[in-house]
Amino acid sequence: MKVVIIGQGYVGLTISAFAGEFFEVIGFDNNQKIVNQLNSGISHIEGVESVVLQKWIKAGRYQATTRGSDIADAHLVVIAVPTPLTKDRKPDLAFIDAACKTIGENIDKPVLVINESTSFPGTLRKFIKPAIERYSTTAVEHLYAISPERVDPGRGDYNQKNTPRLYAGLTAEASEKTRAFYSRFCDELVEVSSPEVAEAAKLFENTFRQVNIALVNEFAQIAHSLGISVYETLDAANTKPYGFMKFSPSAGVGGHCIPVDPTYLAAVAEEHGVPATFIRRANDVNLEMSRYVVERVQADNGGTLQDKSVLVVGVAYKPNVADVRETAAELVIEHLRSRGAVVTWHDDVVGSWRGEISAVLSGADIAVVITKHDSVAEKAIIASAPYVFDTTGKIKGVKGL
Ligand SMILES: NC(=O)c1ccc[n+]([C@@H]2O[C@H](COP(=O)([O-])OP(=O)(O)OC[C@H]3O[C@@H](n4cnc5c(N)ncnc54)[C@H](O)[C@@H]3O)[C@@H](O)[C@H]2O)c1
């Protein structure tokens, strides 16, 4: 069976690596540089080993391409393209639309189309199916299903294999074939009654995290104002064996999912006349954390950051990945610079970002830790500046939330 995976990023390449064991995989991506790199057997995604890719390439079971004609004889197509927000923070389905165009224009025999990209309920039925049909040059009837991706890049304990996978087809046949596909490399499959339930479940999972992170971020501010430790209080609450789940405070949320997906849910809610006030407010609390962090740093440093050299440590949105999408470091740096601080950043996992490169981890007046990669020694961070503010709660003996 020939499987085409549209989008060879975090989600698409991860699926490609798993599927390569059982199927002939074509990784379609419109980024020629990524495609060239993949075809030379080099993975650009943490958690996808280059050796695995090389194994499938050698066995003739993996090839990356930018050419639409290479997907014409597919049996199954997975969509794994970005679903970001527009500039005015509305759902942006332009990448999904482009993927539909690729499918419509190049595939003229029936295939199973599975969407893994995160989007609001109704995307498969009301957007993807009509778009593919609109772009198709023949009146071909594909099968359609959704199976939202839940992978957490860089995570060791849960992966494609042991994370239960939700799925639903637009028809019983689509569901059945989707199950047959994923059951080759996923231990547990959970069928739900409609694609809309699967789409909504994915959004709700991430909204659950977003609001709980906002809650703990607000609580960190309350705890500080009360003169008590937020970490000790959370550990104390966490001794309750039921009804409590611990979340940690931070400088804000980052990545492709938590700052974005809840806005997809809020947008569809508002379209249906339900004001998603709680979700919107949680988003604001998380965005405002960057300002709070900088205000705390400023207050500890004589009330001014003018001309002080500030080293931001860790600009990836989470430890041990190079992903900087929606990173809280960006807003923190903005707030620091707007107060006259001379800001550099250190993150050797990211390397270069926004036209700047990772600075040495030393010699600053102030260090603000946003993300702590395992490869960065705690001692080196402590030695990098006479004043260190740690937003991660991982570094002992320094200032923090
Ligand atoms: N990264 C995660 O942890 C994660 C987890 C669960 C779900 N998701 C969801 O999965 C989807 C994909 O996210 P990702 O993190 O893999 O994104 P990504 O940015 O890592 O990768 C997307 C890839 O798609 C390619 N692309 C864009 N438009 C294309 C097109 N029209 N045709 C072919 N290729 C195209 C890009 O070049 C890129 O390589 C999103 O909806 C995201 O919300 C991501």
Side-chain angles (χ1 to χ4, degrees):
M1 185 158 101
K2 189 163 173 175
V3 172
V4 169
I5 303 190
I6 302 188
Q8 291 291 281
Y10 283 91
V11 168
L13 191 64
T14 306
I15 289 288
S16 299
F18 274 88
E21 192 168 349
F22 309 99
F23 310 104
E24 183 190 342
V25 175
I26 301 290
F28 180 90
D29 201 290
N30 57 7
N31 183 326
Q32 188 68 54
K33 209 170 131 203
I34 288 178
V35 164
N36 292 346
Q37 195 179 321
L38 293 172
N39 281 334
S40 65
I42 298 166
S43 162
H44 62 298
I45 297 296
E46 298 92 4
V48 178
E49 302 292 337
S50 293
V51 285
V52 173
L53 216 53
Q54 288 154 17
K55 196 159 103 187
W56 303 152
I57 291 171
K58 208 167 159 202
R61 292 214 297 273
Y62 179 79
Q63 188 207 332
T65 186
T66 54
R67 275 195 311 267
S69 55
D70 289 344
I71 75 165
D73 56 348
H75 300 103
L76 189 154
V77 181
V78 174
I79 301 175
V81 294
T83 43
L85 297 173
T86 56
K87 275 205 177 73
D88 51 350
R89 297 192 76 78
K90 299 229 164 67
D92 181 0
L93 297 192
F95 295 93
I96 296 229
D97 186 65
C100 292
K101 191 165 189 263
T102 301
I103 297 169
E105 289 180 347
N106 292 288
I107 302 179
D108 59 8
K109 62 175 181 49
V111 297
L112 169 63
V113 177
I114 304 174
N115 180 37
E116 285 210 20
S117 302
T118 306
S119 187
F120 49 82
T123 300
L124 183 75
R125 196 186 301 271
K126 294 188 188 147
F127 189 92
I128 292 178
K129 182 174 184 282
I132 293 177
E133 289 173 351
R134 205 171 52 247
Y135 289 120
S136 293
T137 46
T138 56
V140 57
E141 294 244 345
H142 297 305
L143 295 172
Y144 293 91
I146 169 86
S147 184
E149 183 51 68
R150 292 164 141 178
V151 73
D152 183 7
R155 193 176 181 115
D157 52 354
Y158 284 102
N159 55 33
Q160 279 297 334
K161 188 162 158 45
N162 62 1
T163 305
R165 185 170 269 282
L166 299 177
Y167 72 99
L170 279 182
T171 59
E173 190 186 356
S175 294
E176 209 176 290
K177 289 194 163 161
T178 302
R179 183 177 192 91
F181 172 61
Y182 288 111
S183 60
R184 301 298 287 272
F185 53 95
C186 299
D187 293 343
E188 193 181 338
L189 287 136
V190 182
E191 184 176 3
V192 293
S193 65
S194 71
E196 286 74 13
V197 171
E199 290 164 326
K202 166 71 193 179
L203 290 186
F204 189 69
E205 288 162 20
N206 283 348
T207 304
F208 171 84
R209 286 180 61 198
Q210 179 223 31
V211 297
N212 278 286
I213 293 167
L215 180 63
V216 80
N217 278 337
E218 187 167 271
F219 180 65
Q221 300 177 45
I222 297 170
H224 178 70
S225 74
L226 294 174
I228 58 175
S229 159
V230 60
Y231 299 109
E232 188 187 354
T233 312
L234 291 173
D235 285 344
N238 203 29
T239 58
K240 187 177 178 182
Y242 54 89
F244 182 77
M245 187 183 280
K246 189 176 152 186
F247 286 80
S248 299
S250 59
V253 289
H256 193 309
C257 297
I258 311 297
V260 176
D261 299 353
T263 302
Y264 270 67
L265 187 55
V268 77
E270 285 153 8
E271 231 171 66
H272 286 76
V274 182
T277 48
F278 197 51
I279 299 173
R280 295 285 187 200
R281 183 65 199 129
N283 195 45
D284 290 344
V285 169
N286 288 330
L287 286 172
E288 286 158 12
M289 267 319 267
S290 51
R291 180 194 301 277
Y292 172 75
V293 165
V294 172
E295 280 169 359
R296 287 275 307 276
V297 171
Q298 181 169 319
D300 284 350
N301 284 276
T304 177
L305 294 172
Q306 189 66 42
D307 299 328
K308 298 212 166 107
S309 65
V310 181
L311 183 66
V312 170
V313 182
V315 297
Y317 85 88
K318 69 173 182 179
N320 310 324
V321 300
D323 196 343
V324 287
R325 288 178 291 184
E326 307 273 334
T327 173
E330 187 158 2
L331 282 177
V332 169
I333 290 173
E334 236 171 66
H335 287 304
L336 287 166
R337 286 188 174 148
S338 73
R339 286 164 166 78
V342 182
V343 185
T344 53
W345 54 267
H346 170 83
D347 192 323
D348 284 344
V349 178
V350 171
S352 70
W353 175 51
R354 305 192 311 174
E356 298 171 17
I357 55 165
S358 174
V360 287
L361 184 58
S362 71
D365 297 327
I366 294 167
V368 181
V369 186
I370 304 298
T371 299
K372 158 107 178 49
H373 297 301
D374 291 348
S375 57
V376 184
E378 190 176 323
K379 267 195 201 154
I381 295 175
I382 294 170
S384 68
Y387 171 92
V388 177
F389 189 95
D390 173 33
T391 66
T392 71
K394 287 182 180 164
I395 301 169
K396 302 276 168 294
V398 298
K399 289 278 189 170
L401 295 166

